[in-house]
Amino acid sequence: MTPVARSEDMLLNGLVIKPGEDVQTKLVISRLPSGTVIDIPVHVFRSHKPGPTVLLLAGMHGDEVNGIETIRRLIRRDMLRPLRGSIIAIPILNIYGFLNFSREVPDGKDVNRSFPGNPRGSLASRVAHRFMREIMPLIDYGIDYHTGGAARSNMPQIRCLLHEDPETDALAAAFAAPFTLNASLRPGSLREAAMQQGRRIIVYETGESLRLDEIGIELATAGTFRLLHHLGMVAESAPAEHASVICVRSTWLRARFAGLFRSFVQNGEYIEKGQVYGSVADPYGETAVRLESPVAGYIIGVNYMPVVNQGDALIHVGRLDNAPSRTDLAPPFEEKPNKPQEPEADDPELDEEEAQ
């Protein structure tokens, strides 16, 4: 991969930022109904030597705090001083969601489904448009830090479109997260908008919303430095302790019944096809059903919400092969034919779990 070498002045938010300068500016987005101005702080760190420009972005969803904390620490510890090229760091893109502990902006829309945006569109579309106008033309590569939504916790993982673009593959390999998931480009997402303009952005996921995942934050920091080292922007980086597990596809296992969900497995474990991974029971102590996995693979996401409805996502399985499964071939929420629930007293495995 041959990174783009940028040495000219950078124009951002009406400012001319020269090589060697460190600048903080604020993109004004709009105002709250109270009249309070909503702006997005943007940090720029430039080397005197030409090189690529890398974006570090978090807070696309306001309740996803792990990426916000990762970038905050990098800025606070003065760790973003590139030997060449430039780094643009945006700790929080969705200020509205951050203030309201919410994934969305106040109009209920997802910024990461609103790219490339519209200056006269919805609030989410306006945020996306301002980003595309001010930031996207400046960057070559980027890391978009995310966190599992609601009560779902993700294993530390990189998500990107694998085996179709050598530069993207090289970025994912350099980051070397514990898991790398082949993820298609979603319409309206930042990744899709970047790829259409010849920029490469990979997504890092860890933990769950509104909770700090210390291990995931440390892995994010180490992976970021490995990526920067790969681009020649930092002198050294710590090697990954283990090779990244490449998941060519993934499957969400969903609740066939409503009730109380208990997981018998943990994030990062390998699960066999047919293995019992949890149970769903009614809340009155009358019935329970064991849940068997229709696929084999690594658990890369777990729903920790005990109260589930039929069709809720329970376990996210990263798979190492392309073989279709019952889950892929069946309609959503109907992975298996319904069968009578079993009394919990007749289920010895559930009894053992209860005793623990």
Side-chain angles (χ1 to χ4, degrees), residues 83 225-226 229 234-238:
L83 298 177
F225 267 75
R226 284 192 290 269
H229 178 68
V234 298
E236 58 185 14
S237 62

Side-chain angles (χ1 to χ4, degrees), residues 205-219:
E205 291 263 1
T206 190
E208 61 182 295
S209 59
L210 298 177
R211 285 183 174 82
L212 291 180
D213 172 22
E214 193 62 36
I215 293 177
I217 292 170
E218 291 177 359
L219 290 172

Side-chain angles (χ1 to χ4, degrees), residues 22 29 46 51 70 72 106 112 124 134 138 150 155 170 172 180 214 246 249-252 291 319 349:
D22 300 335
I29 299 298
R46 303 203 68 193
T70 298
R72 185 201 70 81
N112 207 27
E134 295 283 355
L138 304 177
M155 276 293 293
T180 301
E214 193 62 36
I246 308 299
R249 62 191 306 181
S250 66
T251 299
W252 272 106
L291 306 174
R319 297 161 56 191
E349 184 158 358

